[in-house]
Each structure stands twice: as structure tokens, then as C-alpha cells.
């Protein structure tokens, strides 16, 4: 079985629940669509659930997937779990055949109900496009060859995000507690200190090995 290293950031409370039950799953309570002004994201999340179940063949049983990335998140800035909230970044090793990749920038087409048009004519008449065609066009975000071709035309490199139905705690390799920052001057200084410490290797994740029972130490 091929395995890959990924990173996911989670609310502290979601991590506490995971430690109690032995796995982490996408809790709707902590989903982005609960944040003010982001309720329109819920249909997009529901669509991603459908795609995961169809493409990977694993049911989420009414839950949402866990979002992951292949690079460690930049904790020197906010916008991860809501400013002031406490959380953790988990370094996880996951089975490749249970992970679904999609291109991040093209993913934005889904919550905004935009259409990927194959021709200029279709783009000029996109207001008349069948909604079913629009939904089908979103599936291009899973096509790496197409994403890379489109990104090359704009002179950028594609960036991918990953979802999995849940993360078993024996797949967690390390944990880094953090507190999401705001845009205040004080938090900008804190962010600079974090970035410097991370680059110098002074700020490191704590190795984690699941033993079946753990006690979570609160983030100070």
C-alpha cells in the first residue's frame, strides 16, 4: 500500500473528540460553511462528499471529509480556523488510494456555481448553460493533466488540496498546537516570530504515537 505525508489543521475541540474515539472525521460543526458569510459553501461541500464516495468508493455516512494539504500551513498568518481559536496542525501518513486530490484555485468554481467552458462561444453564452452541464464541468478539478495544462497557460503552477473520509489516529505522526492569528499589529509580530522560529527549526511539531488513550494538553 502506497502512503503519503499530508497536513491538516483542526480546531482544538475536534482534536479532543478524535482522541476520545480514535479517529478524526469531518464534523459539520467546524465546517467553513458555519462561519458568517460562508453558508453558500455547504452545497459545494455536499458535492465533494458525492465525488469522494463515487471516485474512492468509501461512504462518509453523512459526515464530511477531512481536508488536507501536501505542505505545512503557514501559521504566521491567520485564516485557518478563525482568529483567536486554538487548534492543531497534524502531520499524517495516509493511504494514497483513500485520498482524493483536487486543484485549489479551480475548486473555487464550485461554491460560486461557475462553469468551466471548453470554448469561447460557450463562455460568451454561459448564462444559458444547463445547470447539469455546470455541475459536470466541475469534475475537471480532479483531472491533473487538465489542471496542469490550464495552469501552464496562465504561467502558474497548480496547487492541490486533498480530502479523506477520516483519519485514524495511528496515521498521525506529529502534532503542532497553534492559535489562529488576527491582522492586528501584535499578531503580526507574533506571526513574524513564528515564521522565524519555524525556518530556524526552533518551532517543531511534537512526535505523536497513538497508544489507544491520550490526554490532551490545552494550548496556552
Amino acid at each position: 500500500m502506497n502512503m503519503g505525508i499530508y497536513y491538516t489543521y483542526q480546531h482544538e475541540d475536534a482534536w479532543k473528540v478524535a482522541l476520545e474515539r480514535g479517529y478524526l472525521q469531518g464534523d459539520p460543526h467546524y465546517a467553513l460553511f458555519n462561519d458568517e458569510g460562508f453558508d453558500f459553501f455547504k452545497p459545494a461541500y455536499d458535492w465533494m462528499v458525492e465525488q469522494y464516495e463515487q471516485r474512492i468508493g468509501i461512504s462518509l455516512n453523512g459526515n464530511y471529509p477531512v481536508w488536507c494539504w501536501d505542505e505545512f500551513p503557514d501559521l504566521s498568518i491567520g485564516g485557518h480556523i478563525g482568529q483567536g481559536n486554538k487548534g492543531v496542525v497534524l502531520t499524517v501518513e495516509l493511504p494514497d488510494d483513500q485520498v482524493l486530490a483536487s486543484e485549489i484555485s479551480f475548486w473555487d468554481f464550485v461554491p460560486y456555481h461557475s462553469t468551466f467552458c471548453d470554448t469561447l462561444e460557450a463562455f460568451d453564452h454561459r448564462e444559458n448553460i444547463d445547470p447539469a452541464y455546470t455541475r459536470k464541468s466541475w469534475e475537471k478539478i480532479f483531472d491533473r493533466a487538465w489542471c496542469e495544462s490550464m495552469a501552464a497557460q496562465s504561467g502558474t503552477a497548480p496547487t492541490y488540496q486533498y480530502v479523506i473520509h477520516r483519519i485514524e489516529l495511528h496515521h498521525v505522526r506529529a502534532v503542532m498546537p497553534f492559535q489562529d492569528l488576527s491582522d492586528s499589529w501584535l499578531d503580526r509580530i507574533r506571526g513574524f516570530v513564528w515564521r522565524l522560529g519555524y525556518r530556524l527549526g526552533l518551532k517543531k511539531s511534537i512526535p505523536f504515537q497513538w497508544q489507544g488513550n491520550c490526554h490532551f494538553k490545552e494550548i496556552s
Side-chain angles (χ1 to χ4, degrees):
M1 179 186 298
N2 293 327
M3 307 285 286
I5 296 294
Y6 303 89
Y7 308 93
T8 181
Y9 45 81
Q10 302 291 329
H11 283 260
E12 178 184 87
D13 288 343
W15 177 232
K16 288 180 179 179
V17 172
L19 289 172
E20 292 175 358
R21 65 188 175 197
Y23 61 88
L24 175 74
Q25 66 183 21
D27 189 333
H29 179 72
Y30 300 108
L32 176 64
F33 56 71
N34 288 310
D35 295 345
E36 185 176 356
F38 286 93
D39 55 315
F40 66 95
F41 264 76
K42 187 177 186 304
Y45 274 49
D46 291 338
W47 178 82
M48 183 62 84
V49 169
E50 295 174 8
Q51 292 297 311
Y52 183 87
E53 292 180 336
Q54 292 173 13
R55 294 170 182 274
I56 303 299
I58 299 176
S59 174
L60 278 89
N61 298 313
N63 297 304
Y64 287 94
V66 180
W67 253 260
C68 303
W69 292 266
D70 54 15
E71 293 186 359
F72 197 92
D74 183 359
L75 299 180
S76 67
I77 57 175
H80 300 292
I81 56 173
Q83 58 181 257
N85 290 331
K86 296 177 180 180
V88 294
V89 176
L90 306 177
T91 301
V92 296
E93 188 173 13
L94 304 175
D96 289 338
D97 61 358
Q98 295 181 15
V99 175
L100 178 62
S102 60
E103 210 284 331
I104 293 177
S105 60
F106 295 136
W107 153 251
D108 287 340
F109 277 62
V110 182
Y112 291 98
H113 292 271
S114 300
T115 307
F116 291 107
C117 298
D118 293 323
T119 65
L120 184 60
E121 181 181 4
F123 179 81
D124 290 339
H125 298 86
R126 60 191 182 280
E127 66 276 5
N128 300 320
I129 291 177
D130 186 333
Y133 178 89
T134 295
R135 286 180 63 88
K136 185 65 177 177
S137 77
W138 296 339
E139 297 183 23
K140 294 179 183 294
I141 70 174
F142 305 111
D143 185 340
R144 280 184 177 257
W146 182 87
C147 291
E148 291 171 7
S149 173
M150 293 299 291
Q153 293 180 37
S154 62
T156 61
T159 303
Y160 295 97
Q161 60 184 2
Y162 307 85
V163 294
I164 188 168
H165 64 295
R166 73 184 196 183
I167 296 174
E168 306 290 343
L169 291 198
H170 66 264
H171 287 150
V172 178
R173 300 292 174 257
V175 181
M176 179 182 284
F178 76 100
Q179 185 165 347
D180 213 5
L181 302 177
S182 67
D183 198 37
S184 69
W185 282 106
L186 180 57
D187 274 355
R188 290 183 185 182
I189 294 172
R190 288 171 175 160
F192 173 78
V193 172
W194 184 90
R195 188 186 302 114
L196 181 62
Y198 184 74
R199 289 178 177 175
L200 293 176
L202 303 176
K203 190 71 175 177
K204 299 179 180 179
S205 295
I206 305 166
F208 178 89
Q209 186 172 7
W210 176 239
Q211 300 294 341
N213 56 348
C214 292
H215 298 285
F216 183 79
K217 182 179 180 180
E218 295 225 358
I219 303 167
S220 58

